Amino acid sequence: MVLDRDIDGVLDARRHIDRVFLRSSLLTAAALDAATGCQVLAKSELANPIGCFKGRGADLFCATALAPGESLVCASAGNFGQGLAYAAQRRGHACTVFASTQANPVKLDAMRRLGADVRLSGMDFDAAKASAREHAVQTGQRWVEDGAEPAIADGAGTIALELLDAAPFDVLVVPLGNGALLDGVGRVVRALASHVRIVAVVAANAPAMKLSLETGKAIATEHAETIADGIAVRVPIAATLPLLRECCDDIVAVSEVDLFAAMQLIHRTLGVVVEPAGAAGIAAMLAEPARYAGQRIATILTGGNIAPALRERLLAA
C-alpha cells in the first residue's frame, strides 16, 4: 500500500505546534477494560485551552501555511473553529468562522472568546460551509477547509506519534468527521506500525463518510442528525476519499444509544466528560465487542465541549 503523502510533515510538526496541545494524557482503567472486554488506551485531548484535538492541526496550519497577517475564513461545528481562532489570534491573523444556527452554544461562545468573528448560517455544518466558502470568495480572504489542508492533518498526526511512543497496541479506533484526524494518524500508523488495524467510526445517523469510502465516490446525504456534532458530515470532500480509504481497514457506524452509553462509561471509569464525537471509539467497542475482544485497543477522546443540555443528561444518568 502506497499513500499519496508521507509523514515528513507530521514528524516536523511538533517543533511548530504550541506545546499546550502536545503530550496529552493516556488514560486507562481496569473498569473500562472489563466493560469493553479489551485493554483500552484512551488518548485524552481534553486538557488544553480549547478542550479538543483541533488545536494541533490549526496551529500548525497557521504557523506554516499562511502569509504574515493573512485573514482566514472557515466553517466549523465548533471545535475546529476554536482551534483556528486560538492559533490565528496567537499568530496575528483575523479569523471568521461560519457555524450552523443549530451549533452547540458552548462552542460558539468559546470561538467568540478566542477572538473569532462568528457568523451563523444554515441549519447544519455543511450549509454553514457553503456560506463560508462564498464569503471567502467575495472578500478575498483565505478559505480554510478542515479535512482538505495537509498541514491540519499533519498536526493531527502528532497524536499517533505520541500513542506509538507510549505503548504498543493492536487496533486504533478513530472518530471520522471530515477526515483530517484519520488522514494524519492513519498515515503515521501505516508508516510506523503497519501491523495495527485501523477502524474509522461514524455516527449511524450521519453515514455520508462511510457510504462514500465504501463506494469510492462522494455520497452526500440529506440529513446528518446526530448528537455527535463533531462527526456530523453530510457532504464529504471528494478529493480526500482515496487517501482516507487507504488510512483505514474498516469503517463502522455507531448508534445514538451507543454514543451516549460510551459517554457514560467514560465518565464513570475515566472520570472525564467527553462530547459524543469524542466517545465514538468507545461506542464502537460497545457496539461490536467481539471485534476487539482480548486485544489492546487505542482510541482518541477527541473533545469535551459538550452542549449544556447533554451535559445535564449525562451527569444525571
Side-chain angles (χ1 to χ4, degrees):
M1 180 177 294
V2 179
L3 297 174
D4 291 338
R5 297 209 316 270
D6 58 32
I7 64 167
D8 290 348
V10 183
L11 296 172
D12 185 59
R14 287 183 287 190
R15 70 187 183 93
H16 298 287
I17 297 171
D18 189 331
R19 292 183 181 180
V20 297
F21 297 115
L22 299 175
R23 301 187 182 280
S24 55
S25 299
L26 191 64
L27 306 182
T28 61
L32 178 58
D33 296 347
T36 57
C38 54
Q39 185 177 354
V40 180
L41 306 174
K43 186 71 162 163
S44 176
E45 294 293 301
L46 312 177
N48 62 59
I50 62 170
C52 67
F53 81 97
K54 293 289 189 178
R56 295 177 184 250
D59 201 46
L60 182 64
F61 175 82
C62 287
T64 62
L66 294 177
E70 189 173 13
S71 59
L72 313 172
V73 179
C74 75
S76 177
N79 281 348
F80 177 65
Q82 287 184 69
L84 201 61
Y86 177 95
Q89 183 179 66
R90 176 173 177 258
R91 297 180 182 277
H93 304 276
C95 177
T96 300
V97 182
F98 279 74
S100 161
T101 58
Q102 308 302 307
N104 177 347
V106 168
K107 296 179 180 181
L108 295 176
D109 290 345
M111 289 189 290
R112 293 185 179 109
R113 284 197 307 273
L114 291 166
D117 175 7
V118 178
R119 305 189 183 195
L120 304 184
S121 180
M123 293 297 290
D124 64 16
F125 163 74
D126 286 293
K129 183 191 280 193
S131 297
R133 185 183 285 109
E134 181 180 351
H135 179 79
V137 171
Q138 291 174 347
T139 61
Q141 293 173 289
R142 174 70 178 270
W143 165 239
V144 186
E145 186 170 18
D146 187 17
E149 293 285 351
I152 294 172
D154 286 345
T158 59
I159 297 172
L161 294 178
E162 293 174 13
L163 272 170
L164 292 170
D165 284 345
F169 49 90
D170 305 300
V171 183
L172 174 63
V173 188
V174 185
L176 175 59
N178 270 316
L181 181 61
L182 178 60
D183 176 349
V185 300
R187 280 184 292 120
V188 169
V189 170
R190 289 291 195 234
L192 302 180
S194 59
H195 64 283
V196 170
R197 191 165 187 84
I198 303 172
V199 178
V201 187
V202 305
N205 282 11
M209 290 299 291
K210 184 175 189 293
L211 295 172
S212 299
L213 290 175
E214 288 175 343
T215 61
K217 60 181 180 181
I219 296 178
T221 57
E222 189 173 343
H223 303 289
E225 297 176 356
T226 172
I227 59 172
D229 62 329
I231 54 173
V233 175
R234 185 168 54 78
V235 183
I237 303 170
T240 67
L241 295 175
L243 175 61
L244 292 177
R245 191 64 189 89
E246 291 191 0
C247 285
C248 61
D249 299 288
D250 301 292
I251 310 103
V252 301
V254 295
S255 70
E256 302 296 284
V257 170
D258 286 329
L259 285 165
F260 189 71
M263 293 167 65
Q264 291 178 293
L265 180 60
I266 291 165
H267 184 238
R268 185 171 72 249
T269 60
L270 297 179
V272 295
V273 172
V274 298
E275 60 188 275
I282 302 297
M285 298 174 212
L286 295 179
E288 296 184 276
R291 183 192 290 265
Y292 310 100
Q295 300 176 82
R296 181 177 281 185
I297 314 299
T299 192
I300 304 161
L301 308 181
T302 52
N305 298 310
I306 188 172
L310 195 56
R311 175 184 286 273
E312 290 181 12
R313 180 183 163 201
L314 175 65
L315 298 181

